[in-house]
Amino acid sequence: MDFRLAPEQEEFRGAVRRFAEKHLAAGALERAHASGYPWDVAKLMAKQGLLGITIAEADGGQGGTLLDAVLAIETVASVCPRSADVVQAGNFGPIRVLAQYGSPPQKERHLERLLAGEAVISVGMTEPDAGSAVTDLKTSATPAPGGWRVNGSKIFTTHSAYADVFLVYVRYAPGVGGIGSVLVEKKDVRLGKTSKFMSGEEWAQIYLDDVFVPAENVLLGEGGFKKQIAGFNVERIGNAARSLALGRYAYERSRAWALERRQFGRLLCEFQGLQWKFADMKMKLDAAQLLLYRAAANADRALPSPEETAIAKAYCNQAGFDVANDALQVMGGTGYSQETLVEYCLRRCRGWMIAGGSVEILKNRIAEHIFERSFPQR
Ligand SMILES: Cc1cc2nc3c(=O)[nH]c(=O)nc-3n(C[C@H](O)[C@H](O)[C@H](O)COP(=O)(O)OP(=O)(O)OC[C@H]3O[C@@H](n4cnc5c(N)ncnc54)[C@H](O)[C@@H]3O)c2cc1C
């Protein structure tokens, strides 16, 4: 076992760091507080080969590994936390599910613009009455000549306010086995008013009012739910990586602060009460990193294991939030102020404890693995 990165991984990480420092460092604070999608960053990243890292070269991607994509998202986040969302959208989110299961015409239609940083795809799973219990979703797909009629609505969808295409979970028939997914274009949905999460991210309710979806836009038919969630585990890895990376970002700022800020005539780092906070932060970050790399490295280019992903995401989500919170405390009023990105990191990390499988739901999954049996929650 070797815990060091291979020379080519180090080289890749170095190239991403140079790119981020050159193009993303300067506007990092403003970007975090700006609304809308950072299209300028997306285009720059496309040119740099940072979108589609794990997507096959034949589909226009880079043919890299999941760990490469994790290195990229962490490195970008360490310079510009907000820009890490673009790495997420271009590698870990529904784009990856589309690349994994899409038909050649579906990929041809959408991937080129997504990989060029000219468009973004959203995943619509959550509904007003189906959050953690996502398999309770009601959005229906009923047969129509040449395709399906889709009716329902989705909430909390990341990027919904400006996405070009939506990967929508639908119900073809009753039960878990009746769930699959379709691709719906922006022109076919009705968006509600734009709302904001505590993180500042925008979302809008998506209404599907008798939308006709041609058969060729079905991504996964009846029985597709398991595959859908297997693909979604990649999204969870990206979500875990950003939690860890933003926690680390806050930690690095607070470490530098503790080395320069003086109170009572001493540097903050000389107070034992704060030293122990730093020791706790460091232990959490290192443990989270190892769990994340295990899940990503074992998956390589395929999909990560549900158990390793659940463990990595639950731990990284909690660690990222705890560390950002402690880092903010160490920085006092400065940490709580919008003059630094520490408060932003805290707000973002809080959201990932809920999004993409909450910490509680992931722990349920881990318990099922421990006891080798399922625990139906109904
Ligand atoms: C920042 C952010 C981004 C998001 N992006 C998307 C997106 O792009 N697409 C999308 O479809 N959705 C998205 N969501 C929605 C997200 O998936 C849901 O919020 C999540 O699944 C929880 O559902 P809920 O909010 O309805 O909470 P509920 O399901 O009502 O849960 C409320 C609380 O109860 C807990 N709980 C529920 N059931 C159990 C149980 N059996 N055991 C223990 N605890 C339980 C939950 O963990 C939670 O803490 C996003 C959410 C956030 C916050």
Side-chain angles (χ1 to χ4, degrees):
M1 188 177 290
D2 186 350
F3 287 100
R4 289 164 305 179
L5 294 177
E8 57 277 15
Q9 290 168 325
E10 289 282 11
E11 205 176 297
F12 174 65
R13 188 162 66 170
V16 177
R17 174 164 284 282
R18 287 191 295 280
F19 162 83
E21 278 167 356
K22 181 171 173 197
H23 296 289
L24 308 175
L29 187 62
E30 295 71 31
R31 214 171 276 124
H33 298 295
S35 54
Y37 190 70
W39 293 109
D40 54 335
V41 172
K43 290 192 186 90
L44 282 170
M45 283 189 184
K47 274 204 197 108
Q48 183 72 16
L50 294 180
L51 307 185
I53 294 169
T54 63
I55 292 176
E57 285 171 275
D59 289 331
Q62 312 298 321
T65 66
L66 188 54
L67 188 55
D68 293 334
V70 167
L71 294 175
I73 201 167
E74 279 189 302
T75 309
V76 165
S78 72
V79 176
C80 176
R82 171 73 173 114
S83 294
D85 296 343
V86 180
V87 187
Q88 172 83 14
N91 292 282
F92 295 89
I95 190 173
R96 178 61 199 274
V97 177
L98 170 64
Q100 188 82 22
Y101 303 121
S103 66
Q106 287 170 350
K107 293 197 228 178
E108 224 163 85
R109 179 161 175 77
H110 299 292
L111 276 183
E112 195 178 323
R113 291 192 64 228
L114 293 171
L115 292 173
E118 290 167 0
V120 73
I121 178 168
S122 279
V123 57
M125 302 182 288
T126 310
E127 299 181 359
D129 295 325
S132 301
V134 68
T135 53
D136 284 354
L137 67 89
K138 292 190 191 111
T139 297
S140 61
T142 44
W148 302 83
R149 290 262 163 214
V150 174
N151 280 286
S153 96
K154 301 286 174 182
I155 56 169
F156 300 152
T157 313
T158 299
H159 306 313
S160 40
Y162 35 76
D164 295 71
V165 56
F166 298 89
L167 194 167
V168 180
Y169 280 36
V170 294
R171 172 171 299 294
Y172 299 99
V176 177
I179 297 174
S181 57
V182 296
L183 295 166
V184 180
E185 295 188 16
K186 182 186 192 153
K187 66 177 172 44
D188 295 322
V189 306
R190 183 167 60 84
L191 291 181
K193 75 169 176 56
T194 301
S195 186
K196 273 190 182 177
F197 288 124
M198 165 182 166
S199 56
E201 293 164 277
E202 294 155 320
W203 66 273
Q205 186 156 358
I206 303 167
Y207 296 95
L208 299 128
D209 306 326
D210 209 26
V211 175
F212 176 69
V213 174
E216 60 267 24
N217 289 357
V218 168
L219 187 77
L220 289 167
E222 218 173 306
F225 184 71
K226 274 204 169 155
K227 276 184 165 178
Q228 190 75 54
I229 290 294
F232 189 65
N233 279 327
V234 175
E235 177 144 11
R236 289 177 163 160
I237 293 287
N239 174 314
R242 283 181 298 162
S243 293
L244 170 63
L246 268 62
R248 193 180 289 288
Y249 184 99
Y251 162 85
E252 291 296 352
R253 288 339 169 255
S254 66
R255 180 177 162 277
W257 184 253
L259 284 166
E260 70 183 40
R261 170 80 173 163
R262 284 179 184 276
Q263 287 295 286
F264 302 100
R266 297 165 71 183
L267 288 170
L268 292 185
C269 70
E270 292 170 13
F271 295 114
Q272 192 183 51
L274 298 188
Q275 289 169 2
W276 285 10
K277 258 194 206 319
F278 276 99
D280 283 338
M281 287 194 263
K282 173 80 176 137
M283 288 189 289
K284 285 179 188 169
L285 290 173
D286 281 7
Q289 185 104 55
L290 291 171
L291 292 173
L292 175 66
Y293 282 13
R294 178 180 72 170
N298 282 348
D300 195 11
R301 213 171 306 167
L303 303 177
S305 110
E307 291 76 39
E308 290 184 354
T309 301
I311 292 170
K313 182 178 181 293
Y315 197 88
C316 287
N317 288 163
Q318 191 67 56
F321 175 75
D322 289 348
V323 170
N325 197 29
D326 277 349
L328 189 154
Q329 187 69 16
V330 166
M331 293 181 71
T334 302
Y336 193 58
S337 141
Q338 294 202 337
E339 296 308 307
T340 80
L341 283 170
V342 171
E343 61 80 34
Y344 172 78
C345 290
L346 176 76
R347 288 185 285 119
R348 292 301 306 273
C349 286
R350 189 65 189 84
W352 291 314
M353 295 168 76
I354 300 167
S358 67
V359 169
E360 292 80 13
I361 294 301
L362 294 168
K363 286 182 182 172
N364 290 348
R365 181 79 190 78
I366 296 165
E368 289 188 328
H369 179 63
I370 293 169
F371 294 108
E372 296 176 354
R373 51 167 285 200
S374 73
F375 295 107
Q377 302 292 307
R378 287 187 170 76

Coordinates of all heavy atoms in Angstrom, one line a residue, residues 312-366:
A312 N -17.5 7.8 2.9 CA -16.7 9.0 2.5 C -17.6 10.3 2.5 O -17.2 11.3 3.1 CB -16.1 8.8 1.1
K313 N -18.8 10.2 2.0 CA -19.6 11.4 1.9 C -20.0 11.8 3.3 O -19.9 13.0 3.7 CB -20.8 11.2 1.0 CG -21.6 12.5 0.9 CD -22.8 12.5 0.0 CE -23.6 13.8 -0.1 NZ -24.2 14.2 1.2
A314 N -20.5 10.9 4.1 CA -21.0 11.3 5.4 C -19.9 11.9 6.3 O -20.0 12.9 6.9 CB -21.6 10.0 6.1
Y315 N -18.7 11.2 6.2 CA -17.6 11.7 7.0 C -17.1 13.1 6.5 O -16.8 14.0 7.2 CB -16.4 10.7 7.0 CG -15.5 11.0 8.2 CD1 -15.7 10.5 9.4 CD2 -14.4 11.8 8.0 CE1 -14.9 10.8 10.5 CE2 -13.6 12.2 9.0 CZ -13.8 11.6 10.3 OH -13.0 12.0 11.3
C316 N -16.9 13.2 5.2 CA -16.4 14.5 4.6 C -17.4 15.6 4.9 O -17.0 16.7 5.1 CB -16.2 14.3 3.1 SG -14.7 13.4 2.7
N317 N -18.7 15.3 4.7 CA -19.7 16.4 5.0 C -19.6 16.9 6.4 O -19.6 18.1 6.6 CB -21.1 15.8 4.7 CG -21.5 15.6 3.3 OD1 -22.4 14.9 3.0 ND2 -20.7 16.1 2.4
Q318 N -19.5 15.9 7.4 CA -19.4 16.3 8.8 C -18.1 17.0 9.1 O -18.1 18.1 9.7 CB -19.6 15.1 9.7 CG -19.8 15.4 11.1 CD -21.2 16.1 11.4 OE1 -22.2 15.6 11.0 NE2 -21.1 17.3 12.0
A319 N -17.0 16.4 8.6 CA -15.7 17.0 8.8 C -15.6 18.4 8.2 O -15.1 19.3 8.9 CB -14.6 16.1 8.3
G320 N -16.0 18.5 7.0 CA -15.9 19.8 6.3 C -16.6 20.9 7.1 O -16.1 22.0 7.3
F321 N -17.9 20.6 7.5 CA -18.6 21.6 8.3 C -18.0 21.8 9.6 O -17.8 23.0 10.0 CB -20.1 21.0 8.5 CG -20.9 21.9 9.4 CD1 -21.4 23.1 8.9 CD2 -21.1 21.6 10.7 CE1 -22.1 24.0 9.7 CE2 -21.8 22.5 11.5 CZ -22.3 23.7 11.0
D322 N -17.6 20.8 10.4 CA -17.0 21.0 11.7 C -15.7 21.9 11.6 O -15.5 22.8 12.4 CB -16.6 19.7 12.3 CG -17.8 18.9 12.8 OD1 -18.9 19.4 12.8 OD2 -17.7 17.7 13.1
V323 N -14.9 21.5 10.6 CA -13.6 22.3 10.4 C -13.9 23.7 10.1 O -13.3 24.6 10.6 CB -12.7 21.5 9.4 CG1 -11.5 22.4 9.1 CG2 -12.3 20.2 10.0
A324 N -14.8 23.9 9.1 CA -15.1 25.3 8.7 C -15.6 26.1 9.9 O -15.3 27.3 10.1 CB -16.1 25.3 7.6
N325 N -16.4 25.5 10.7 CA -17.0 26.1 11.9 C -15.9 26.5 12.9 O -15.9 27.6 13.4 CB -18.0 25.1 12.5 CG -19.0 25.9 13.5 OD1 -19.3 27.0 13.3 ND2 -19.5 25.1 14.5
D326 N -15.0 25.5 13.2 CA -13.9 25.8 14.1 C -13.0 26.9 13.5 O -12.5 27.7 14.3 CB -13.1 24.5 14.4 CG -13.8 23.7 15.5 OD1 -14.7 24.2 16.1 OD2 -13.3 22.5 15.7
A327 N -12.7 26.8 12.2 CA -11.8 27.8 11.6 C -12.4 29.2 11.8 O -11.7 30.2 12.1 CB -11.6 27.5 10.1
L328 N -13.7 29.3 11.6 CA -14.4 30.6 11.7 C -14.3 31.1 13.1 O -14.0 32.3 13.4 CB -15.9 30.4 11.3 CG -16.7 31.7 11.2 CD1 -17.9 31.5 10.2 CD2 -17.3 32.2 12.5
Q329 N -14.4 30.2 14.1 CA -14.3 30.6 15.5 C -12.9 31.1 15.8 O -12.8 32.1 16.5 CB -14.7 29.4 16.4 CG -14.8 29.7 17.9 CD -16.0 30.5 18.2 OE1 -16.9 30.6 17.4 NE2 -16.0 31.1 19.4
V330 N -11.9 30.4 15.3 CA -10.5 30.9 15.5 C -10.3 32.3 15.0 O -9.5 33.0 15.5 CB -9.6 29.8 14.9 CG1 -8.2 30.4 14.8 CG2 -9.6 28.5 15.6
M331 N -11.0 32.6 13.9 CA -10.8 33.9 13.3 C -11.7 35.0 13.8 O -11.7 36.1 13.3 CB -11.0 33.8 11.7 CG -9.8 32.9 11.2 SD -9.9 32.7 9.4 CE -9.5 34.4 8.8
G332 N -12.6 34.7 14.8 CA -13.4 35.7 15.4 C -14.3 36.4 14.4 O -14.8 35.9 13.4
G333 N -14.4 37.7 14.7 CA -15.2 38.6 13.8 C -14.8 38.6 12.4 O -15.6 38.7 11.4
T334 N -13.5 38.4 12.1 CA -12.9 38.4 10.8 C -13.5 37.2 10.0 O -13.9 37.2 8.9 CB -11.4 38.4 10.8 OG1 -11.0 39.6 11.5 CG2 -10.8 38.4 9.4
G335 N -13.5 36.0 10.7 CA -14.0 34.8 10.1 C -15.5 34.9 9.8 O -16.0 34.3 8.8
Y336 N -16.2 35.6 10.6 CA -17.7 35.8 10.5 C -18.0 36.8 9.4 O -19.2 36.9 9.0 CB -18.3 36.1 11.8 CG -19.8 36.0 11.9 CD1 -20.4 34.8 11.7 CD2 -20.6 37.1 12.3 CE1 -21.8 34.7 11.8 CE2 -21.9 37.0 12.4 CZ -22.5 35.8 12.2 OH -23.9 35.6 12.3
S337 N -17.0 37.6 9.0 CA -17.3 38.7 8.0 C -17.1 38.2 6.6 O -16.4 37.2 6.3 CB -16.3 39.8 8.4 OG -15.8 40.4 7.2
Q338 N -17.7 38.9 5.7 CA -17.6 38.5 4.3 C -16.3 39.1 3.6 O -16.2 39.0 2.4 CB -18.9 38.9 3.5 CG -20.1 38.2 4.0 CD -21.2 38.1 3.0 OE1 -21.3 39.0 2.1 NE2 -22.1 37.2 3.1
E339 N -15.4 39.5 4.4 CA -14.1 40.0 3.9 C -13.3 38.7 3.6 O -12.3 38.8 2.9 CB -13.4 40.8 4.9 CG -14.1 42.1 5.2 CD -14.4 42.9 4.0 OE1 -13.5 43.2 3.2 OE2 -15.6 43.3 3.8
T340 N -13.6 37.6 4.2 CA -12.9 36.4 3.8 C -13.9 35.3 3.3 O -15.1 35.6 3.5 CB -12.1 35.8 5.0 OG1 -13.0 35.0 5.8 CG2 -11.4 36.8 5.8
L341 N -13.4 34.2 2.8 CA -14.3 33.2 2.3 C -14.7 32.1 3.4 O -15.3 31.1 3.1 CB -13.7 32.5 1.1 CG -13.9 33.4 -0.2 CD1 -13.0 32.8 -1.3 CD2 -15.3 33.5 -0.6
V342 N -14.2 32.3 4.6 CA -14.4 31.3 5.6 C -15.9 31.1 5.9 O -16.4 30.0 6.0 CB -13.6 31.6 6.9 CG1 -13.9 30.7 8.0 CG2 -12.1 31.5 6.5
E343 N -16.6 32.2 6.1 CA -18.1 32.1 6.3 C -18.8 31.4 5.1 O -19.7 30.7 5.3 CB -18.7 33.4 6.7 CG -18.6 34.6 5.7 CD -19.6 34.5 4.6 OE1 -20.8 34.1 4.9 OE2 -19.3 34.9 3.5
Y344 N -18.3 31.7 3.9 CA -18.9 31.1 2.7 C -18.7 29.6 2.8 O -19.6 28.8 2.5 CB -18.2 31.7 1.5 CG -18.6 31.0 0.2 CD1 -19.8 31.3 -0.5 CD2 -17.7 30.2 -0.5 CE1 -20.1 30.6 -1.7 CE2 -18.0 29.5 -1.6 CZ -19.2 29.8 -2.2 OH -19.5 29.1 -3.4
C345 N -17.4 29.2 3.1 CA -17.1 27.7 3.2 C -18.1 27.1 4.2 O -18.6 26.0 4.0 CB -15.7 27.5 3.6 SG -14.5 28.0 2.3
L346 N -18.3 27.7 5.3 CA -19.2 27.2 6.4 C -20.6 27.0 5.8 O -21.2 25.9 5.9 CB -19.3 28.1 7.6 CG -20.2 27.6 8.7 CD1 -19.6 26.4 9.4 CD2 -20.6 28.7 9.6
R347 N -21.1 28.0 5.1 CA -22.5 28.0 4.6 C -22.6 26.9 3.5 O -23.6 26.1 3.5 CB -22.9 29.3 4.0 CG -23.2 30.4 5.0 CD -23.7 31.7 4.5 NE -22.7 32.5 3.8 CZ -22.7 32.8 2.5 NH1 -23.7 32.5 1.7 NH2 -21.7 33.6 2.0
R348 N -21.6 26.8 2.6 CA -21.6 25.7 1.6 C -21.6 24.3 2.2 O -22.3 23.4 1.8 CB -20.5 25.9 0.6 CG -20.6 27.1 -0.3 CD -21.8 27.2 -1.1 NE -22.1 26.0 -1.9 CZ -21.6 25.8 -3.2 NH1 -20.8 26.8 -3.7 NH2 -21.9 24.8 -3.9
C349 N -20.7 24.1 3.2 CA -20.5 22.8 3.8 C -21.8 22.4 4.5 O -22.1 21.2 4.5 CB -19.4 22.8 4.8 SG -17.7 22.8 4.0
R350 N -22.5 23.4 5.0 CA -23.8 23.0 5.7 C -24.8 22.4 4.8 O -25.5 21.4 5.1 CB -24.4 24.3 6.4 CG -25.6 24.0 7.3 CD -25.1 23.2 8.5 NE -26.2 22.7 9.3 CZ -26.9 21.6 9.0 NH1 -26.6 20.9 8.0 NH2 -27.9 21.3 9.8
G351 N -24.8 22.9 3.5 CA -25.8 22.4 2.5 C -25.5 21.0 2.1 O -26.4 20.2 1.9
W352 N -24.2 20.6 2.0 CA -23.8 19.3 1.6 C -24.2 18.2 2.6 O -24.1 17.0 2.3 CB -22.4 19.2 1.2 CG -22.1 20.0 -0.1 CD1 -22.9 20.0 -1.2 CD2 -21.1 20.9 -0.3 NE1 -22.3 20.9 -2.1 CE2 -21.2 21.5 -1.6 CE3 -20.0 21.4 0.5 CZ2 -20.4 22.4 -2.2 CZ3 -19.1 22.3 -0.1 CH2 -19.3 22.8 -1.4
M353 N -24.5 18.6 3.8 CA -24.9 17.6 4.8 C -26.4 17.2 4.5 O -26.9 16.2 5.1 CB -24.8 18.2 6.2 CG -23.4 18.5 6.6 SD -23.3 19.5 8.1 CE -23.7 18.3 9.4
I354 N -27.0 18.0 3.7 CA -28.4 17.7 3.3 C -28.5 17.2 1.9 O -29.2 16.2 1.6 CB -29.3 19.0 3.5 CG1 -29.3 19.5 4.9 CG2 -30.7 18.7 3.0 CD1 -29.8 20.9 5.1
A355 N -27.8 17.8 1.0 CA -27.9 17.5 -0.5 C -27.3 16.2 -0.8 O -26.3 15.7 -0.2 CB -27.2 18.6 -1.3
G356 N -27.9 15.5 -1.8 CA -27.3 14.3 -2.4 C -27.2 13.1 -1.5 O -26.4 12.3 -1.5
G357 N -28.2 13.0 -0.6 CA -28.3 12.0 0.4 C -27.8 12.6 1.7 O -26.6 12.9 1.9
S358 N -28.7 12.9 2.7 CA -28.3 13.6 3.9 C -27.4 12.7 4.7 O -27.3 11.4 4.5 CB -29.5 13.9 4.7 OG -30.1 12.7 5.2
V359 N -26.7 13.2 5.7 CA -25.8 12.5 6.5 C -26.6 11.3 7.2 O -26.1 10.2 7.3 CB -25.1 13.4 7.6 CG1 -24.4 12.6 8.7 CG2 -24.2 14.4 6.9
E360 N -27.8 11.6 7.6 CA -28.6 10.5 8.3 C -28.9 9.4 7.3 O -28.8 8.2 7.7 CB -29.9 11.1 8.8 CG -29.8 12.1 10.0 CD -29.4 13.5 9.5 OE1 -29.5 13.8 8.3 OE2 -29.0 14.3 10.4
I361 N -29.3 9.8 6.1 CA -29.7 8.7 5.1 C -28.5 7.9 4.8 O -28.5 6.6 4.6 CB -30.3 9.4 3.9 CG1 -31.7 10.0 4.2 CG2 -30.5 8.4 2.7 CD1 -32.7 9.0 4.8
L362 N -27.3 8.5 4.7 CA -26.1 7.8 4.4 C -25.7 6.8 5.6 O -25.3 5.7 5.3 CB -24.9 8.7 4.1 CG -25.1 9.6 2.9 CD1 -24.1 10.7 2.8 CD2 -25.0 8.7 1.6
K363 N -26.0 7.3 6.8 CA -25.7 6.4 7.9 C -26.7 5.2 7.9 O -26.3 4.1 8.3 CB -25.8 7.2 9.2 CG -24.6 8.1 9.5 CD -24.7 8.8 10.8 CE -23.5 9.8 11.0 NZ -23.7 10.7 12.1
N364 N -27.9 5.4 7.5 CA -28.8 4.3 7.3 C -28.2 3.3 6.3 O -28.2 2.0 6.6 CB -30.2 4.7 6.8 CG -31.0 5.5 7.8 OD1 -30.6 5.6 8.9 ND2 -32.0 6.2 7.3
R365 N -27.6 3.8 5.2 CA -27.0 2.9 4.2 C -25.8 2.1 4.8 O -25.7 1.0 4.6 CB -26.6 3.8 3.0 CG -26.0 3.1 1.9 CD -27.1 2.5 1.0 NE -26.6 1.6 0.0 CZ -26.2 0.3 0.3 NH1 -26.2 -0.2 1.5 NH2 -25.8 -0.4 -0.8
I366 N -25.0 2.8 5.6 CA -23.8 2.2 6.2 C -24.3 1.1 7.2 O -23.7 0.0 7.2 CB -23.0 3.3 6.9 CG1 -22.4 4.3 5.9 CG2 -21.8 2.6 7.7 CD1 -21.9 5.6 6.5

